[in-house]
Amino acid sequence: MKLKGRVSKFGANVNTDIIIPARYLNISEPGELARHCMEDIDPEFPSKIEPGDIIVATTNFGCGSSREHAPLAIKACGISCVIAQSFARIFFRNAINIGLPLLECAEAVKETETGDILEVDLSCGEINNVSKHKTFMASSYPEFMLGIINAGGLVEYTKNRLQGR
Amino acid sequence: MATLAEKILAPHCGKKQVKPGEFINAKVDLVLANDITAPLAIKEFQRLGVGKVFDPAKVVMVPDHFCPNKDIQSAEQAKFMREFAKEQKVIYFEVGRMGIEHVLLPEQGLVLPCQVIVGADSHTCTYGALGAFATGMGSTDIAVAMTTGEIWMKVPPTIKFIYHGKLPKWVSGKDLILYTIGNIGVDGALYSVMEFSGEAIDELSMDGRFTMANMAIEAGAKAGIFNVDEKTKKYVEEHGNRLYSTYQSDKDAEYANIIEYDMSKIEPQVAFPHIPSNTKPISQVGEVKLDQVVIGSCTNGRLDDLRIAAKLFQGKQVHSELRCIIIPGSQKVYLEALREGLIEIFIEAGAVVSTPTCGPCLGGYMGVLAAGERCLSTTNRNFVGRMGSPQSEVYLANPAVAAASAILGKIANPEEIPG
């Protein structure tokens, strides 16, 4: 699957309270959550995003709480994938489980700025910075996780597993 | 030659031993969700189509984050969870019998050493204080665990932390963990298990250990864990007293890293905004005026925490320009604090005492901050907007520093309060 979008770049330790403030956790509808995504550091964020846009961040993206509302809000904003140097572990699981693609690639993060256009080939992990004419390779997923991704998320993966029993 | 975490995980996936990096499907002994994470988990559970939880006696739901209901939407979420809990006959604690989940579950005897516990709350790692392998996950993972009784996991490497020396006065588990996070950073233990040991840990009360394990997630860890000792055994005997297995890390276990600290000269720590690793010893804090102090939460809402705060508040008054909000972590903690006369001390000092709730810790209610306000809190996170306005500030510290600060109206060393 190929994605193409404009980059919004963030720094280190973007936490889940930033991604979706807890005061909105009395709702769980993704579209509603998306309206408040990144609100406390950039209130204009949801309105700036075009479908397909890509978040690029440095280390420990998604640290903090276990709220699945965080990747749900990002996905419902129209973000097609997140590329970071590293991800916090609960966020990483949540994103994979709900079908928000994540890629780890320190070099791509280093050489990408807000406004750049990226093309991402999820099947092989190739990241092409169209604006800067540079290509990078993200770390590949372990086979086990590819199973979840290819099934379309953890619920579908588990359904298949239960049917196979 | 295995660590405690590896020894717990191996039998849970039917293996003699497991190695870091290996993917396993582990059987879970307890699955937890709360009023903000359960609604999503229940919807995913319904999509799975099985219709019944794997074992109602191993699924717990606690209305604690926005409960007693803070608004109509929170009430709807709590109602949705309550109805599911009733229908599935899972373990459920109603308002009036509940507590903040990570204070409540150990106290109710639901947590045992060497169990595998998953919860849709990042502070599920608290149960590592009892030697359990406990980790936070999202709602979809929890839906699968509720359905199948299993969860996939990558076996994490373990980092061993050894705390040497005798802890100085006013230094508690909170200071050890804040100091550690200040040292290794908020991703210093990313994907790893933090194993806490050393003389300072042997001396630490169970409540102090709960505080430390609770904040392992603030260093990015998957779990924070303590080997079982006499204190653990006594706690389990006094809370439920069920049978359990025990393992210990082998002396020649392989650790990803071993980090040693001398704790004999450490001071109480304060984490400045807006990240828990931004720590300073209390002597280097300077003049920081406060608008609010919060004492409570899954980190520091236990009886030991309230006792130490009461000791400082005895015969003193909360500063006239500051609000002090004290939240016992459970109904049991509340009642014991009442019987010991602690609540009377707090109210006479001019503090608010609230029913158990996560409330202000995550900016829900019961102490939300306005723009420009500063709060010192015994909670676990001080991110931008965590307690309310994105223009507010949160400082993290132990209950003694919190009480001293409430009395003096600014961040203060407990030493400054005449006894």
Side-chain angles (χ1 to χ4, degrees):
Chain A
M1 191 180 156
K2 286 194 178 169
L3 311 169
K4 188 174 181 179
R6 201 169 34 108
V7 168
S8 282
K9 191 169 177 184
F10 293 88
N13 306 315
V14 173
N15 63 72
T16 53
D17 280 276
I18 288 296
I19 298 171
I20 183 73
R23 57 184 176 275
Y24 301 116
L25 298 184
N26 55 3
I27 41 179
S28 57
E29 202 279 306
E32 189 64 27
L33 292 169
R35 293 177 48 208
H36 305 291
C37 190
M38 305 287 183
E39 181 176 287
D40 285 355
I41 54 167
D42 183 3
E44 308 302 315
F45 182 80
S47 57
K48 285 194 292 201
I49 296 303
E50 302 277 338
D53 281 0
I54 292 169
I55 288 180
V56 172
T58 62
T59 53
N60 204 25
F61 187 87
C63 62
S65 99
S66 69
R67 64 190 71 158
E68 205 160 288
H69 312 65
L72 284 172
I74 291 175
K75 195 180 173 195
C77 261
I79 294 290
S80 63
C81 77
V82 185
I83 302 170
Q85 267 173 262
S86 63
F87 292 94
R89 58 161 283 277
I90 307 180
F91 181 87
F92 188 85
R93 291 184 73 108
N94 286 347
I96 298 299
N97 288 347
I98 66 146
L100 171 70
L102 304 182
L103 294 169
E104 283 187 348
C105 184
E107 295 75 27
V109 171
K110 216 160 135 191
E111 308 233 7
T112 301
E113 294 164 75
T114 291
D116 286 359
I117 303 292
L118 295 186
E119 276 179 353
V120 178
D121 186 344
L122 285 180
S123 60
C124 63
E126 191 181 279
I127 301 166
N128 179 15
N129 188 324
V130 180
S131 311
K132 297 213 163 69
H133 310 289
K134 284 188 177 168
T135 302
F136 310 93
M137 285 302 289
S139 325
S140 56
Y141 285 107
E143 207 183 316
F144 179 86
M145 297 198 68
L146 271 178
I148 298 174
I149 295 164
N150 291 337
L154 186 67
V155 167
E156 283 70 20
Y157 174 85
T158 307
K159 270 184 174 173
N160 296 344
R161 230 182 110 221
L162 291 173
Q163 276 161 13
R165 274 186 183 171
Chain B
M1 41 174 284
T3 67
L4 175 57
E6 290 153 18
K7 284 192 179 179
I8 296 171
L9 290 175
H12 281 86
C13 64
K15 291 189 173 181
K16 280 214 170 73
Q17 61 174 48
V18 293
K19 290 277 170 212
E22 190 178 328
F23 283 91
I24 57 167
N25 247 327
K27 288 204 183 322
V28 293
D29 300 299
L30 203 65
V31 184
L32 165 73
N34 59 53
D35 53 303
I36 60 175
T37 57
L40 277 175
I42 294 165
K43 284 176 196 159
E44 295 305 297
F45 170 85
Q46 288 163 344
R47 280 215 301 138
L48 280 157
V50 171
K52 276 197 335 201
V53 300
F54 81 107
D55 183 349
K58 291 182 179 172
V59 179
V60 190
M61 294 195 171
V62 185
D64 61 356
H65 276 61
F66 293 164
C67 294
N69 307 333
K70 84 177 179 84
D71 54 24
I72 296 170
Q73 284 160 317
S74 306
E76 294 294 344
Q77 295 202 133
K79 185 181 172 202
F80 185 60
M81 178 174 86
R82 180 183 300 113
E83 285 173 353
F84 178 85
K86 204 171 158 188
E87 171 205 308
Q88 294 286 331
K89 299 186 172 60
V90 305
I91 303 169
Y92 174 74
F93 295 92
E94 189 53 274
V95 169
R97 295 178 183 83
M98 61 80 152
I100 298 171
E101 51 197 341
H102 310 309
V103 178
L104 181 71
L105 267 54
E107 171 190 286
Q108 293 291 325
L110 288 166
V111 176
L112 290 174
C114 300
Q115 286 184 327
V116 171
I117 302 175
V118 293
D121 187 277
S122 60
H123 293 108
T124 302
C125 52
T126 309
Y127 314 133
L130 286 168
F133 184 97
T135 189
M137 289 183 178
S139 296
T140 300
D141 272 320
I142 291 310
V144 168
M146 283 200 299
T147 307
T148 64
E150 289 179 6
I151 197 78
W152 73 266
M153 228 185 263
K154 190 166 143 186
V155 176
T158 300
I159 305 172
K160 185 175 187 174
F161 292 84
I162 309 173
Y163 299 87
H164 298 288
K166 190 174 165 2
L167 295 184
K169 197 179 177 190
W170 306 119
V171 169
S172 65
K174 183 63 164 282
D175 305 294
L176 298 196
I177 193 67
L178 282 177
Y179 181 86
T180 306
I181 297 164
N183 180 254
I184 65 171
V186 292
D187 58 355
L190 197 61
Y191 296 95
S192 307
V193 173
M194 299 172 86
E195 185 181 305
F196 303 112
S197 62
E199 309 100 77
I201 299 298
D202 297 340
E203 291 304 311
L204 207 58
S205 70
M206 281 312 299
D207 283 2
R209 295 180 191 183
F210 282 120
T211 303
M212 285 189 78
N214 174 272
M215 288 189 71
I217 180 69
E218 263 53 74
K222 189 165 194 157
I225 202 164
F226 294 72
N227 279 289
V228 171
D229 66 3
E230 291 309 313
K231 285 184 182 167
T232 330
K233 288 179 187 163
K234 186 162 173 276
Y235 184 96
V236 176
E237 271 169 32
E238 290 170 359
H239 299 83
N241 200 20
R242 293 187 291 150
L243 286 176
Y244 58 93
S245 16
T246 48
Y247 312 106
Q248 298 280 332
S249 285
D250 289 327
K251 290 219 157 49
D252 57 352
E254 273 182 44
Y255 291 97
N257 197 0
I258 297 177
I259 298 173
E260 303 191 45
Y261 299 119
D262 176 11
M263 288 292 119
S264 60
K265 290 190 179 65
I266 189 190
E267 294 176 39
Q269 304 287 303
V270 179
F272 274 52
H274 292 284
I275 192 160
S277 57
N278 192 13
T279 56
K280 290 183 188 181
I282 189 82
S283 63
Q284 288 173 31
V285 162
E287 184 87 1
V288 182
K289 273 192 75 181
L290 299 168
D291 301 286
Q292 181 171 294
V293 163
V294 171
I295 301 175
S297 83
C298 60
T299 313
N300 279 121
R302 297 181 183 81
L303 204 54
D304 270 10
D305 303 315
L306 300 188
R307 281 180 183 146
I308 200 157
K311 207 167 158 184
L312 285 148
F313 278 123
Q314 177 87 59
K316 306 283 186 312
Q317 286 291 302
V318 168
H319 193 274
S320 59
E321 288 173 27
L322 177 146
R323 296 99 57 184
C324 179
I325 300 166
I326 301 179
I327 310 178
S330 70
Q331 288 291 86
K332 190 167 177 229
V333 171
Y334 201 155
L335 189 58
E336 283 176 22
L338 188 74
R339 285 177 177 150
E340 285 186 20
L342 312 183
I343 303 295
E344 196 176 329
I345 293 171
F346 296 146
I347 292 176
E348 280 187 344
V352 167
V353 183
S354 155
T355 188
T357 177
C358 307
C361 172
L362 71 166
Y365 69 129
M366 197 64 76
V368 171
L369 299 174
E373 289 194 322
R374 285 201 191 111
C375 176
L376 182 130
S377 179
T378 66
T379 54
N380 41 55
R381 289 187 181 135
N382 55 354
F383 300 144
V384 169
R386 174 72 180 179
M387 267 196 173
S389 166
Q391 282 86 43
S392 63
E393 291 183 350
V394 180
Y395 297 73
L396 306 175
N398 75 30
V401 170
S405 303
I407 294 164
L408 296 179
K410 58 179 185 173
I411 301 183
N413 190 331
E415 286 294 318
E416 295 174 51
I417 306 296

